[in-house]
């Protein structure tokens, strides 16, 4: 099990690398994270209806959601991703409200419960999924969340040491040495754990190290004298490792060396970074496109010079649209579109591009009487469409072909794209706009539209930029194969850990 001395220590990265490392030994491997809080989700195989109570192995025909990190970990493990690998996903909708997704399905019951009461309801499902995956696999690579030593959370823990105790897991505790204070983080975390939980810590890992590792001495030896736990790996800083960022947004410091062509300005793609941004991981491939600069915009000034403006997914479309207007970004986006600039809306971004958003059930406000309960909200009016929100969520994988696309997006004509949908709203032509002759060109049935001028495109399909055919059509670029990314990660961990330690970690006691 991979635990972190803090958030951002590199748990997800290391768990992904270990999944591929052990899979390369010919072992059957799967990932597991009991609870993840993220608006980055993927669509995977769900359980049969009768098995959602037990977490048993029979998979159903319906799709479900898990956190993106566990999806990529499953691919690294050469396993088929399914909802048991992340049985509880919390998707923040506001600072004090999250939608609870249990075994792949949004659970109104769990969402409505006070936070302190959720664990008792969720734990039996988590334990059943954990037991089922342990029974089916040679190695289960488990990831914790945050820190296991959050003493205010310990009595209701369902993701860290409770999971470790249930599985009898051997644990690695990871610290981000680049932040400074890594040895204090490791010792403090260890010291706050109960004695029985300390016994589960098999090794400390120093992650994101820059410089000469010999300069760390004698601190690792002193830490071992204090705790009895050896430091088993020092992992060098891995820039541009190829995995999507799980939390936060990228910034210009993450731009790969040599972005843009010498002597020519780069193509600038500005993605609106609203507060409830979702599925930001789908933009990872753009970071590797030669001649492309990816920026995240929270103010109109950050859109200056942008060739494309992208309105990404949102877990709270109504409140993010209100935020957009409060920042003055709506006027900047509209001006860009009217000047012929390219605008792309994905999922919630598509909904905002329309003329109207209708919320008769209060889905966007957490129920009738909430932030938008029962209200009709004007959209940006760049596409003559209307979206109606409904409680039932669309969760599915999709493979669709673009029809005849005109204008600046014409390169997508006839391109078949694979991706996934996760949304509550359904979108259609706006009747009043249609009556006066303003209609959108439908490029995929119920999935994609563009305006008459051709420069504004809206799609429900997430994952467009992960599709090789789309990257070739738009940029003439090749996507970096995920297998190449996973193999490099596996090589890094194999070189970084003490000889023989990773094999000892999975041996029966």
């Amino acid at each position: 099990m991979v635990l972190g001395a803090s958030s951002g220590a590199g748990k997800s990265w290391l768990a992904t690398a270990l999944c591929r490392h052990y899979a390369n030994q010919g072992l059957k491997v799967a990932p597991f994270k009991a609870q993840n809080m993220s608006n980055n989700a993927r669509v995977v195989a769900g359980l049969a209806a009768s098995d959602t109570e037990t977490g048993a192995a029979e998979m159903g025909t319906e799709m479900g959601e898990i956190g993106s990190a566990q999806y990529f970990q499953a691919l690294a493990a050469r396993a088929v991703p399914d909802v048991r690998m992340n049985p509880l996903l919390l998707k923040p909708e506001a600072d004090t409200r999250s939608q609870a997704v249990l075994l792949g399905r949004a659970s109104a019951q769990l969402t409505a419960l006070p936070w302190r009461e959720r664990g008792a309801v969720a734990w039996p499902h988590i334990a059943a999924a954990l037991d089922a995956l342990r029974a089916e696999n040679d190695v289960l690579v488990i990831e914790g969340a945050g820190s296991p030593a959050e003493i205010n959370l310990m009595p209701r823990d369902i993701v860290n040491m409770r999971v470790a105790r249930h599985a009898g897991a051997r644990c690695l505790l990871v610290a981000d040495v680049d932040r400074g204070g890594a040895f204090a983080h490791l010792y403090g975390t260890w010291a706050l754990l109960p004695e029985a939980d300390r016994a589960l810590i098999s090794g400390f890992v120093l992650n994101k190290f820059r410089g000469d590792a010999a300069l760390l001495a004698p601190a690792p030896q002193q830490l071992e004298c204090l705790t009895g736990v050896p430091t088993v790996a020092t992992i060098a800083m891995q820039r541009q490792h190829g995995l999507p960022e799980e939390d936060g947004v990228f910034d210009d410091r993450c731009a790969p060396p040599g972005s843009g062509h010498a002597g020519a300005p780069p193509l600038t793609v500005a993605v609106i970074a609203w507060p409830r941004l979702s599925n930001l991981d789908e933009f990872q491939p753009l970071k590797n496109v030669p001649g492309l600069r990816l920026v995240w915009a929270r103010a109109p000034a950050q859109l200056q010079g942008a060739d494309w403006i992208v309105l990404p997914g949102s877990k709270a479309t109504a409140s993010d649209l209100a935020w957009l207007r409060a920042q003055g970004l709506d006027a900047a986006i509209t001006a860009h579109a009217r000047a012929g600039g390219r605008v792309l809306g994905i999922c919630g971004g598509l909904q905002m591009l329309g003329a109207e958003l209708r919320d008769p059930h209060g889905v966007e406000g957490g129920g009738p009487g909430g932030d938008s309960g029962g209200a009709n909200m004007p959209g940006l009016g760049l596409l003559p469409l209307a979206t109606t929100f409904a409680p039932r969520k669309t969760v599915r994988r999709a493979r669709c072909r673009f029809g005849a696309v005109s204008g600046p997006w014409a390169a997508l004509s006839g391109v078949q794209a694979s991706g996934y949908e996760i949304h509550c709203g359904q979108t259609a032509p706006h009747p009043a706009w249609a009556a006066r002759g303003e209609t959108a060109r439908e490029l995929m049935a119920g999935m994609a539209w563009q305006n008459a001028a051709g420069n504004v495109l809206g799609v429900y399909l997430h994952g467009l930029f992960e599709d090789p055919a789309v990257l070739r059509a738009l940029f003439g670029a090749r996507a970096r194969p995920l297998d190449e990314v996973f193999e490099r990660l596996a090589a890094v961990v194999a070189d970084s850990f003490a000889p023989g330690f990773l094999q000892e970690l999975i041996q029966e006691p």
Side-chain angles (χ1 to χ4, degrees):
M1 183 171 185
V2 181
L3 301 166
S6 66
S7 293
K11 297 184 299 292
S12 296
W13 181 95
L14 180 55
T16 306
L18 290 174
C19 281
R20 177 49 62 97
H21 171 82
Y22 288 123
N24 283 347
Q25 314 308 310
L27 299 167
K28 187 176 182 184
V29 182
F32 182 83
K33 184 169 184 173
Q35 175 185 288
N36 202 345
M37 178 174 278
S38 177
N39 277 330
N40 298 328
R42 294 291 168 137
V43 176
V44 301
L47 295 178
S50 61
D51 291 327
T52 56
E53 296 298 317
T54 65
E58 185 179 346
M59 306 313 294
T61 55
E62 285 196 24
M63 297 284 102
E65 299 177 66
I66 64 171
S68 292
Q70 282 63 61
Y71 171 82
F72 286 108
Q73 287 164 8
L75 298 185
R78 300 192 180 98
V80 177
D82 74 61
V83 296
R84 298 170 302 166
M85 296 170 180
N86 177 206
L88 182 57
L89 175 62
L90 302 179
K91 306 186 79 174
E93 298 176 324
D95 287 346
T96 58
R97 185 179 71 245
S98 295
Q99 181 187 59
V101 177
L102 184 62
L103 289 170
R105 300 178 184 176
S107 171
Q109 174 198 5
L110 199 58
T111 299
L113 285 177
W115 173 80
R116 295 182 185 277
E117 297 177 21
R118 288 180 176 179
V121 175
W123 176 254
H125 302 277
I126 291 170
L130 175 58
D131 290 342
L133 288 170
R134 289 176 63 207
E136 295 169 21
N137 293 278
D138 301 317
V139 176
L140 196 63
V141 178
I142 305 172
E143 181 185 341
S147 164
E150 302 288 356
I151 53 179
N152 59 314
L153 304 180
M154 280 184 180
R156 296 171 181 83
D157 172 40
I158 57 172
V159 66
N160 286 310
M161 300 316 295
R162 187 174 184 180
V163 171
R165 291 191 299 270
H166 186 89
R170 296 177 179 179
C171 301
L172 300 173
L173 183 59
V174 185
D176 176 0
V177 73
D178 192 53
R179 290 185 177 184
F183 293 104
H185 288 166
L186 292 169
Y187 179 76
T189 302
W190 175 88
L192 285 171
L193 293 176
E195 192 66 40
D197 290 347
R198 292 179 189 174
L200 298 175
I201 307 297
S202 296
F204 295 137
V205 175
L206 297 171
N207 193 25
K208 305 182 186 180
F209 182 76
R210 294 184 289 177
D212 181 359
L215 298 178
L216 293 170
Q221 294 77 15
Q222 291 174 324
L223 185 62
E224 185 172 0
C225 289
L226 289 168
T227 63
V229 179
T231 297
V232 296
T234 300
I235 302 176
M237 175 74 78
Q238 301 297 312
R239 300 189 187 280
Q240 300 302 314
H241 51 66
L243 286 180
E245 300 291 334
E246 186 179 13
D247 302 304
V249 297
F250 311 118
D251 58 29
D252 287 338
R253 290 173 299 173
C254 298
S259 290
H261 297 297
L267 172 73
T268 298
V269 176
V271 181
I272 305 297
W274 38 54
R276 302 300 164 196
L277 171 64
S278 68
N279 296 86
L280 66 88
D281 52 314
E282 66 181 307
F283 299 106
Q284 168 70 25
L286 295 185
K287 295 175 62 185
N288 301 320
V289 172
L292 187 150
R293 185 170 70 99
L294 184 66
V295 297
W296 298 88
R298 298 183 179 90
Q302 292 171 312
L303 296 180
Q304 292 179 7
D307 299 288
W308 297 14
I309 296 176
V310 180
L311 281 65
S314 166
K315 189 62 186 72
T317 306
S319 64
D320 278 346
L321 179 55
W323 175 89
L324 189 84
R325 289 191 163 109
Q327 311 310 308
L329 284 161
D330 57 333
I333 294 166
T334 299
H336 178 84
R338 287 178 177 166
R342 291 203 214 187
V343 178
L344 171 65
I346 301 173
C347 198
L350 154 66
Q351 295 168 346
M352 293 186 203
L353 288 176
E356 188 176 29
L357 294 87
R358 302 163 178 165
D359 193 14
H361 305 284
V363 172
E364 282 291 298
D371 297 339
S372 64
N376 289 353
M377 298 155 280
L380 297 178
L382 295 178
L383 289 173
L385 303 171
T387 295
T388 301
F389 296 105
R392 183 174 177 81
K393 183 186 287 191
T394 298
V395 179
R396 64 189 177 198
R397 289 197 289 257
R399 185 166 179 79
C400 308
R401 188 179 297 277
F402 281 95
V405 185
S406 64
W409 300 101
L412 292 173
S413 292
V415 172
Q416 190 172 55
S418 296
Y420 55 99
E421 295 178 73
I422 305 175
H423 57 92
C424 288
Q426 298 298 321
T427 300
H430 193 291
W433 288 49
R436 62 177 187 249
E438 295 188 58
T439 59
R441 181 195 296 266
E442 190 172 46
L443 306 175
M444 296 176 181
M447 290 274 289
W449 298 263
Q450 71 174 153
N451 65 345
N455 63 312
V456 179
L457 173 65
V459 300
Y460 266 121
L461 195 66
H462 284 289
L464 273 182
F465 299 122
E466 297 172 337
D467 188 286
V470 171
L471 277 185
R472 281 196 303 271
L474 291 176
F475 310 110
R478 167 185 172 270
R480 185 180 180 186
L482 275 173
D483 258 5
E484 180 183 304
V485 173
F486 298 145
E487 290 298 334
R488 183 177 179 277
L489 300 185
V492 168
V493 297
D495 290 342
S496 301
F497 276 81
F501 177 81
L502 291 178
Q503 195 61 33
E504 293 172 9
L505 200 61
I506 61 171
Q507 297 302 315
E508 293 291 338

